[in-house]
Amino acid sequence: MIDRTKKYWTGDSSEDIEEYLREYSENEHLDYRAVVCHVCGNDALELRVDQNESVIQIKCPLCGTKKILLDCEEYWEDASPRLRKCSVCKTCKQFNVRIGFERRENGDVRWVYEGDRCVNCGTLGSFLNWEINYGPTTDMEQNI
Ligand SMILES: [Zn+2]
Ligand SMILES: [Zn+2]
Protein backbone atom coordinates (compact mmCIF):
# COMPACT_ATOMS: atom_id res chain seq x y z
CA MET A 1 0.00 0.00 0.00
CA ILE A 2 1.25 3.45 -0.91
CA ASP A 3 1.15 6.12 1.78
CA ARG A 4 0.49 9.44 0.05
CA THR A 5 0.22 11.59 3.16
CA LYS A 6 3.85 12.72 3.13
CA LYS A 7 5.70 14.88 0.64
CA TYR A 8 7.35 11.79 -0.85
CA TRP A 9 5.21 8.72 -1.26
CA THR A 10 6.25 5.62 0.60
CA GLY A 11 5.42 1.98 0.06
CA ASP A 12 5.52 -0.99 2.41
CA SER A 13 6.46 -3.51 -0.28
CA SER A 14 8.33 -3.60 -3.57
CA GLU A 15 5.03 -4.17 -5.38
CA ASP A 16 4.12 -0.58 -4.62
CA ILE A 17 6.78 0.49 -7.12
CA GLU A 18 4.45 -0.69 -9.90
CA GLU A 19 1.64 1.58 -8.80
CA TYR A 20 4.11 4.41 -8.37
CA LEU A 21 5.44 3.94 -11.93
CA ARG A 22 1.89 3.73 -13.28
CA GLU A 23 1.21 7.24 -11.99
CA TYR A 24 4.69 8.56 -12.72
CA SER A 25 4.56 7.46 -16.37
CA GLU A 26 0.85 8.24 -16.77
CA ASN A 27 0.55 4.87 -18.45
CA GLU A 28 -1.87 2.20 -17.17
CA HIS A 29 -0.33 -0.54 -19.26
CA LEU A 30 3.31 -0.80 -18.34
CA ASP A 31 4.80 -4.28 -18.33
CA TYR A 32 6.75 -4.85 -15.11
CA ARG A 33 9.85 -6.82 -14.20
CA ALA A 34 11.27 -7.23 -10.71
CA VAL A 35 15.04 -6.85 -10.48
CA VAL A 36 16.77 -9.30 -8.13
CA CYS A 37 20.28 -10.68 -7.71
CA HIS A 38 20.64 -13.62 -10.08
CA VAL A 39 23.05 -15.40 -7.77
CA CYS A 40 21.37 -15.22 -4.35
CA GLY A 41 17.88 -13.80 -5.03
CA ASN A 42 18.36 -10.76 -2.80
CA ASP A 43 16.13 -7.83 -3.80
CA ALA A 44 17.74 -5.06 -1.70
CA LEU A 45 20.27 -3.71 -4.17
CA GLU A 46 22.82 -0.94 -4.44
CA LEU A 47 22.40 1.29 -7.48
CA ARG A 48 25.01 3.09 -9.56
CA VAL A 49 23.32 5.58 -11.84
CA ASP A 50 24.30 8.26 -14.34
CA GLN A 51 21.19 10.25 -15.14
CA ASN A 52 22.80 12.08 -18.08
CA GLU A 53 23.77 8.92 -19.91
CA SER A 54 20.75 6.96 -18.62
CA VAL A 55 22.71 4.02 -17.31
CA ILE A 56 22.15 1.89 -14.24
CA GLN A 57 24.09 -0.90 -12.63
CA ILE A 58 22.90 -2.95 -9.67
CA LYS A 59 25.16 -4.52 -7.08
CA CYS A 60 24.08 -7.09 -4.54
CA PRO A 61 25.49 -6.12 -1.12
CA LEU A 62 25.20 -9.72 0.12
CA CYS A 63 27.18 -11.60 -2.52
CA GLY A 64 28.83 -8.79 -4.52
CA THR A 65 27.25 -9.65 -7.87
CA LYS A 66 27.05 -6.70 -10.27
CA LYS A 67 24.86 -6.31 -13.31
CA ILE A 68 24.48 -3.51 -15.83
CA LEU A 69 20.80 -3.52 -16.73
CA LEU A 70 19.07 -3.74 -20.10
CA ASP A 71 20.97 -1.88 -22.86
CA CYS A 72 23.04 0.28 -20.49
CA GLU A 73 26.23 -1.64 -21.25
CA GLU A 74 26.43 0.18 -24.59
CA TYR A 75 26.67 3.56 -22.89
CA TRP A 76 28.55 2.49 -19.78
CA GLU A 77 32.06 3.46 -20.94
CA ASP A 78 31.11 7.11 -21.43
CA ALA A 79 29.12 7.34 -18.23
CA SER A 80 30.05 8.55 -14.74
CA PRO A 81 27.76 6.47 -12.55
CA ARG A 82 27.47 7.31 -8.86
CA LEU A 83 26.36 5.16 -5.96
CA ARG A 84 22.95 6.40 -4.86
CA LYS A 85 21.66 7.11 -1.40
CA CYS A 86 18.02 7.60 -0.52
CA SER A 87 17.34 11.35 -0.78
CA VAL A 88 14.84 11.24 2.09
CA CYS A 89 16.41 9.20 4.91
CA LYS A 90 19.90 10.14 3.60
CA THR A 91 21.52 6.98 4.90
CA CYS A 92 20.19 3.95 3.11
CA LYS A 93 21.91 2.74 -0.06
CA GLN A 94 19.71 -0.26 -0.75
CA PHE A 95 16.63 -0.28 -2.91
CA ASN A 96 14.02 -2.63 -4.29
CA VAL A 97 13.93 -2.13 -8.05
CA ARG A 98 11.31 -2.71 -10.73
CA ILE A 99 11.42 -1.93 -14.40
CA GLY A 100 8.33 -0.85 -16.35
CA PHE A 101 8.24 -1.26 -20.12
CA GLU A 102 6.02 0.85 -22.33
CA ARG A 103 5.41 -1.05 -25.57
CA ARG A 104 4.83 -0.17 -29.19
CA GLU A 105 1.96 -1.71 -31.14
CA ASN A 106 4.30 -4.40 -32.48
CA GLY A 107 5.25 -5.39 -28.93
CA ASP A 108 8.72 -3.86 -28.86
CA VAL A 109 9.68 -1.65 -25.96
CA ARG A 110 9.35 2.08 -26.65
CA TRP A 111 10.25 3.45 -23.22
CA VAL A 112 11.91 2.07 -20.10
CA TYR A 113 11.00 3.30 -16.63
CA GLU A 114 13.14 2.45 -13.62
CA GLY A 115 11.41 2.58 -10.26
CA ASP A 116 12.76 2.01 -6.78
CA ARG A 117 11.87 1.80 -3.11
CA CYS A 118 14.25 2.58 -0.25
CA VAL A 119 14.34 -0.51 1.95
CA ASN A 120 14.88 1.66 5.05
CA CYS A 121 12.21 4.36 4.85
CA GLY A 122 10.05 3.05 1.99
CA THR A 123 10.33 6.16 -0.16
CA LEU A 124 9.33 5.47 -3.76
CA GLY A 125 11.18 7.09 -6.64
CA SER A 126 12.59 6.82 -10.11
CA PHE A 127 16.14 7.72 -11.07
CA LEU A 128 15.80 7.04 -14.77
CA ASN A 129 13.62 6.60 -17.79
CA TRP A 130 14.78 6.41 -21.36
CA GLU A 131 13.57 5.88 -24.89
CA ILE A 132 14.35 2.83 -26.99
CA ASN A 133 14.49 3.63 -30.69
CA TYR A 134 15.39 0.27 -32.21
CA GLY A 135 13.92 -3.18 -32.49
CA PRO A 136 13.50 -6.00 -31.84
CA THR A 137 13.94 -5.44 -28.12
CA THR A 138 13.66 -9.06 -26.94
CA ASP A 139 17.30 -9.44 -25.89
CA MET A 140 17.46 -6.05 -24.24
CA GLU A 141 14.33 -6.78 -22.15
CA GLN A 142 15.74 -9.99 -20.76
CA ASN A 143 19.02 -8.45 -19.69
CA ILE A 144 18.10 -7.73 -16.09
ZN1 LIG B 1 23.44 -11.67 -4.38
ZN1 LIG C 1 15.19 6.08 2.68
Side-chain angles (χ1 to χ4, degrees):
M1 271 276 289
I2 293 188
D3 179 347
R4 297 161 200 255
T5 58
K6 286 169 278 187
K7 183 175 173 198
Y8 296 100
W9 292 359
T10 58
D12 50 21
S13 85
S14 57
E15 282 164 34
D16 293 329
I17 300 169
E18 296 185 6
E19 188 180 342
Y20 174 82
L21 282 181
R22 210 151 37 232
E23 303 217 14
Y24 181 81
S25 66
E26 299 177 348
N27 184 333
E28 286 287 308
H29 306 290
L30 293 184
D31 193 7
Y32 298 100
R33 300 283 183 277
V35 180
V36 297
C37 172
H38 282 293
V39 174
C40 73
N42 173 32
D43 69 348
L45 303 164
E46 294 178 358
L47 306 180
R48 281 178 179 75
V49 177
D50 180 338
Q51 287 170 314
N52 295 321
E53 296 289 337
S54 291
V55 295
I56 179 166
Q57 179 194 57
I58 57 164
K59 181 181 172 192
C60 173
L62 298 183
C63 74
T65 300
K66 292 181 187 172
K67 170 99 186 140
I68 298 171
L69 299 182
L70 303 162
D71 64 355
C72 297
E73 187 101 48
E74 287 177 48
Y75 310 97
W76 190 255
E77 263 189 35
D78 299 324
S80 313
R82 284 196 297 118
L83 181 65
R84 297 299 165 144
K85 257 191 305 205
C86 172
S87 60
V88 174
C89 69
K90 312 272 191 205
T91 52
C92 186
K93 298 188 184 90
Q94 295 179 22
F95 301 87
N96 304 133
V97 182
R98 299 228 170 173
I99 300 293
F101 294 128
E102 183 178 302
R103 293 189 182 277
R104 299 178 192 275
E105 273 175 27
N106 71 0
D108 279 346
V109 173
R110 182 209 316 268
W111 212 279
V112 176
Y113 290 92
E114 175 272 342
D116 47 74
R117 174 186 169 274
C118 170
V119 300
N120 179 45
C121 72
T123 297
L124 297 162
S126 175
F127 286 114
L128 284 181
N129 63 83
W130 70 95
E131 187 177 15
I132 303 290
N133 51 19
Y134 56 82
T137 57
T138 326
D139 292 344
M140 181 281 289
E141 288 172 45
Q142 289 166 1
N143 191 33
I144 56 174

